Amino acid sequence: GSQSLHFNNLFKDYYINEEQFPLVISPQHPDLSIAAFLKWVERYPVEFRTLIDDCGCLLLRGFPVETAQQFADVVRSVLG
């Protein structure tokens, strides 16, 4: 996976296919709360932006984002 994501062991990263696109990020534990996820995203916006720049896009899979507002909060935290 990506060297940049080793700043936290709550998540795993992998590629969906042999073309290494997109980079997929998902929680290690299925009981991750939206509050914990948002806290992590807010703590590492530079790392997320670097991954987007390096990989072209990120696929966030399996996170507890259930509403449009939660999605907007994640995007705002990552992109500023």
Side-chain angles (χ1 to χ4, degrees):
S2 170
Q3 295 287 328
S4 299
L5 277 183
H6 293 191
F7 49 85
N8 194 305
N9 65 358
L10 295 176
F11 306 96
K12 58 185 173 182
D13 63 311
Y14 56 94
Y15 293 105
I16 206 164
N17 58 38
E18 62 275 353
E19 285 88 32
Q20 297 189 354
F21 185 84
L23 177 64
V24 181
I25 301 171
S26 60
Q28 292 278 23
H29 308 287
D31 58 346
L32 179 73
S33 71
I34 186 65
F37 176 52
L38 283 172
K39 183 177 179 180
W40 182 69
V41 171
E42 290 167 357
R43 186 170 178 188
Y44 297 103
V46 172
E47 288 82 355
F48 271 98
R49 286 192 297 272
T50 299
L51 286 172
I52 291 168
D53 289 345
D54 291 349
C55 299
C57 74
L58 299 177
L59 174 58
L60 302 177
R61 177 176 278 169
F63 291 100
V65 177
E66 298 178 359
T67 68
Q69 184 58 55
Q70 290 172 341
F71 180 77
D73 292 343
V74 171
V75 171
R76 191 175 311 109
S77 294
V78 171
L79 300 179

